[in-house]
Amino acid sequence: MSHRPASRPATRTAALAVSLAGITLLAGCSAEATPAASTSPVPSVTIVSGQSAQNGDLLRGIFDRYNAQASTAKVDLKLTADSDVDTAQKVLVDIAAGHAPDAVRVTNATYQTLIDAGVAQPADDCLAGESGLNSDLISGITVNKHVYQVPWYVTPNALFYNAKLFTQAGLDPEKPPTTLDEFHRDAQAIAATGAAGGTAYFGNDFNFQSYLASLGSKVYDPATQKLTLDTPAAASVFDTFAAMAKDGSSPVYTNFFADANEAFASGKLGMIVSSASGYPALKANGNADIRIAPVPTAEGGKPVATTSTNGFVITTKDPSRQKAVCTALRSLLTPEAVTETVSKTATIPLLTSTITDPKQLAPVYAANPGWAAVRDQKTVPWVSLPGTANAEYSKLYSDAQLRVLRGDADGKGAAKDLQTQTEQILAAR
């Protein structure tokens, strides 16, 4: 996950919607002014991060080193195994109860949710002193001309493939598929060996959005607030993966992120399109044959990857605590921290200067050319729907996808139904 919300029960989605609705109501009814700065020194700041399996040890190491040299306001890191969505839900509840953390880790899946709830504090001043940040990546997390998070890393989706299974299927592991047609043919070849499934479908709309962008389409435009799911592009992408499920080259998993990732990590699946930041965890399972490459392009489209920014939203309204947590979070943006993060996550560097620096990332990319190719993909930010709509849409999307994969609906019908149902959610806001 990771930055990806795994398939989840409807009750969890509904709980997030209820939590957000409650927080929004409280924010709208409150006349509370911004508190004055504390006069006493801030001894520590509390930072919450879910997804501990997704680079939790890396994050703790960076903050441990920060704490070792910090004279005040040390980081009290609350690391949990909760998903991104669950983390946001619990923080919203904590804020409503009056005992919020000072900052919380988010991805694109929940970033807009916290902004819409009125709990995310602008981080513009915090980032003003940082030079050399990748302007394109910062633009991707700018909302209404403000940045509401201190970014840690930006992860694009990528093609993961098992070189050993490629060789067994008579495929060249030095030539991974570059289009969805090639992707399908390679999946068929791998499945035909009987050694493993060929590939897995796209899980949630993190990958779906890259294929739509490849075809010049999108799920939602925040600027115009226009939903564009009922399109030939969406139908064709649904149908492409349904064809893979129908011919057996792509097993159908009810819980994509648990089952498909496990199958790939254990060598029972030849390919998967997923977040690049999952590469270290998959490699840690001992599979030395895993490689990454750019996302295959939709037929007739252009190469595009979706990016999700893992970062930290500042939730405290106390100016002194905001300053303290900002100082702590900026420890994630030093050249050394960026180099360590990218070296352990295969993500996109926030500091462009580190890419060619022989003391930073230059040797990392020389040893991992696939990482450089993934880094250099044209990208679009993973767009979420406003507030509660995104949580509800995510559930509707997962349901629509499974109906298509199981043959209960075609791509056109699923796209139309998804558009109609999501429009109803947006209208009810």
Side-chain angles (χ1 to χ4, degrees):
M1 276 160 231
S2 136
H3 74 281
R4 306 173 306 263
S7 300
R8 53 193 179 272
T11 53
R12 188 174 301 171
T13 303
L16 176 59
V18 170
S19 296
L20 175 56
I23 279 291
T24 303
L25 180 61
L26 287 174
C29 294
S30 174
E32 178 186 4
T34 300
S38 304
T39 56
S40 57
V42 177
S44 67
V45 291
T46 301
I47 297 177
V48 171
S49 176
Q51 311 177 110
S52 56
Q54 183 79 9
N55 307 309
D57 289 342
L58 168 62
L59 181 63
R60 185 172 295 282
I62 293 173
F63 283 142
D64 282 349
R65 287 190 293 277
Y66 170 79
N67 285 341
Q69 56 83 36
S71 57
T72 185
K74 298 183 185 296
V75 172
D76 178 13
L77 178 63
K78 304 296 187 183
L79 200 59
T80 76
D82 292 332
S83 71
D84 190 29
V85 170
D86 283 343
T87 300
Q89 175 189 331
K90 290 179 179 180
V91 165
L92 288 171
V93 172
D94 287 343
I95 290 172
H99 47 83
D102 294 297
V104 58
R105 178 178 171 183
V106 297
T107 68
N108 287 47
T110 51
Y111 180 41
Q112 188 69 46
T113 297
L114 296 183
I115 295 172
D116 290 344
V119 302
Q121 306 304 308
D124 306 276
D125 290 344
C126 183
L127 295 176
E130 293 293 336
S131 60
L133 289 175
N134 186 315
S135 59
D136 289 338
L137 301 181
I138 296 301
S139 176
I141 56 173
T142 299
V143 179
N144 297 327
K145 299 182 180 180
H146 292 288
V147 175
Y148 289 89
Q149 67 167 285
V150 176
W152 178 26
Y153 63 79
V154 180
T155 179
N157 53 359
L159 169 67
F160 289 67
Y161 66 101
N162 186 312
K164 180 179 179 180
L165 291 175
F166 262 55
T167 300
Q168 284 182 270
L171 304 171
D172 185 351
E174 302 303 324
K175 297 180 179 179
T178 59
T179 68
L180 282 182
D181 274 355
E182 293 175 0
F183 184 67
H184 190 179
R185 288 196 295 269
D186 288 354
Q188 289 174 313
I190 294 168
T193 66
T199 187
Y201 50 94
F202 35 78
N204 67 3
D205 89 331
F206 178 63
N207 293 328
F208 184 57
Q209 287 195 25
S210 68
Y211 296 123
L212 294 187
S214 175
L215 295 168
S217 185
K218 60 180 64 176
V219 166
Y220 177 77
D221 186 345
T224 63
Q225 299 186 344
K226 185 176 180 181
L227 188 72
T228 50
L229 279 162
D230 186 10
T231 62
S236 69
V237 175
F238 274 133
D239 284 336
T240 294
F241 282 83
M244 296 184 195
K246 186 175 181 179
D247 66 25
S249 57
S250 175
V252 176
Y253 302 101
T254 300
N255 189 328
F256 176 85
F257 293 111
D259 300 334
N261 277 289
E262 181 181 352
F264 181 77
S266 62
K268 297 177 182 178
L269 198 62
M271 296 181 290
I272 191 171
V273 176
S274 191
S275 164
S277 61
Y279 180 82
L282 290 169
K283 289 286 285 187
N285 287 328
N287 193 334
D289 297 306
I290 291 177
R291 303 185 189 182
I292 60 173
V295 179
T297 303
E299 294 309 312
K302 299 178 180 179
V304 179
T306 309
T307 56
S308 178
T309 302
N310 270 262
F312 293 85
V313 162
I314 298 173
T315 55
T316 178
K317 293 184 178 181
D318 182 288
S320 293
R321 299 193 70 81
Q322 286 181 353
K323 183 176 179 180
V325 77
C326 169
T327 300
L329 291 174
R330 284 171 60 172
S331 68
L332 300 170
L333 298 175
T334 66
E336 293 73 23
V338 170
T339 295
E340 180 184 15
T341 298
V342 174
S343 299
K344 293 181 178 179
T345 62
T347 53
I348 302 175
L350 281 163
L351 296 177
T352 55
S353 61
T354 60
I355 295 174
T356 57
D357 190 329
K359 295 182 179 179
Q360 305 292 347
L361 288 172
V364 174
Y365 287 122
N368 299 279
W371 293 22
V374 168
R375 177 200 70 206
D376 292 337
Q377 296 174 103
K378 179 181 178 181
T379 61
V380 293
W382 185 17
V383 175
S384 65
L385 273 62
T388 59
N390 195 65
E392 295 174 82
Y393 158 72
S394 296
K395 177 63 170 61
L396 290 175
Y397 172 83
S398 296
D399 291 344
Q401 176 181 238
L402 284 173
R403 287 200 307 274
V404 173
L405 293 169
R406 290 168 174 167
D408 297 330
D410 63 10
K412 183 176 181 180
K416 182 178 181 179
D417 289 346
L418 187 57
Q419 171 89 16
T420 300
Q421 293 170 334
T422 309
E423 283 176 343
Q424 292 171 351
I425 293 171
L426 290 172
R429 291 180 66 244

